[in-house]
Amino acid sequence: MELTCNLQAIDSASRVRYDELRARLGAAVISWSELADGYLIQLDGTLVTHIQLTEWIGMERLCCPFLSLEMEPAQSGVLELKLTGPEGSKTILLTEFGSYLKSKRNKEATMHRVGFGDLPWTVRIMMGLAAFNLWWSFEEFVIDRFGIWRYLPDYKFGRLCVWDLTVAIGIAAMVWWLSARKGQ
């Protein structure tokens, strides 16, 4: 049996749906294990449904008929996809699906939440500047345009004033306080 994929087997109208399903499949990979003749992939059933996986398998069989594609529900919320084929199939599978599999090789490769204090200082400073820019936008489009500045003591219309300094100190204090909370 010839080990080649015919990319023309899926017409251009169906190609958009195929690409969408393939992206869903890639995002749903929880873990994988190597088999003698292929791979067993565990998928998050909340990110790709049984019906979507069945649809993708049907399309994949059109372009790569030498592959054996089997799907089974494993435990609640998890689907197992078995990709196998004749000798040489693993190389093609790794080429086609390697980017999805490599990112899930280690448990350490899974995403985790990063606290504000764990961000680089340049990012924290830029976030503080973005917050101050938000204040200036509010000042320009609300306080100045609607005349609210008349009710703010020591406010200088269109110039740096004590209100700007107060907001800048507050934002700097917030960045410092959030930075001190590493890992939270």
Side-chain angles (χ1 to χ4, degrees):
M1 178 176 280
E2 190 175 335
L3 301 182
T4 57
C5 292
N6 178 8
L7 300 177
Q8 306 306 321
I10 300 173
D11 61 48
S12 59
S14 300
R15 174 64 58 184
V16 173
R17 178 68 176 156
Y18 172 80
D19 291 339
E20 177 188 321
L21 292 169
R22 185 171 164 151
R24 283 185 164 276
L25 178 107
V29 174
I30 298 171
S31 65
W32 62 277
S33 56
E34 191 169 345
L35 304 172
D37 57 349
Y39 298 95
L40 178 65
I41 303 172
Q42 289 193 322
L43 304 165
D44 182 341
T46 61
L47 298 177
V48 64
T49 66
H50 190 274
I51 293 169
Q52 290 168 333
L53 194 53
T54 302
E55 185 180 357
W56 176 82
I57 287 173
M59 290 182 186
E60 189 66 29
R61 283 186 175 143
L62 291 174
C63 64
C64 299
F66 62 91
L67 288 178
S68 173
L69 306 160
E70 301 172 27
M71 172 187 45
E72 297 177 16
Q75 54 198 24
S76 67
V78 176
L79 298 170
E80 286 189 343
L81 175 63
K82 193 177 196 181
L83 304 165
T84 57
E87 189 176 332
S89 299
K90 282 174 70 172
T91 305
I92 293 171
L93 288 170
L94 199 54
T95 301
E96 290 297 315
F97 302 103
S99 61
Y100 302 139
L101 301 180
K102 288 177 185 171
S103 67
K104 303 296 181 177
R105 180 168 285 235
N106 303 329
K107 295 292 181 196
E108 299 155 5
T110 58
M111 294 177 66
H112 62 281
R113 176 174 259 171
V114 176
F116 188 82
D118 297 323
L119 294 172
W121 268 105
T122 53
V123 173
R124 291 185 247 172
I125 290 169
M126 293 308 288
M127 290 177 77
L129 289 173
F132 191 71
N133 189 33
L134 181 64
W135 160 252
W136 266 13
S137 295
F138 176 76
E139 190 176 33
E140 172 76 25
F141 294 109
V142 177
I143 295 173
D144 290 353
R145 290 203 180 173
F146 292 105
I148 298 171
W149 58 273
R150 291 184 197 111
Y151 306 104
L152 300 173
D154 298 324
Y155 185 85
K156 306 268 192 273
F157 183 83
R159 294 186 309 183
L160 195 61
C161 67
V162 72
W163 290 93
D164 298 324
L165 185 61
T166 304
V167 170
I169 291 170
I171 290 171
M174 184 62 75
V175 168
W176 176 81
W177 179 72
L178 288 171
S179 296
R181 302 176 63 214
K182 279 196 174 250
Q184 293 183 11

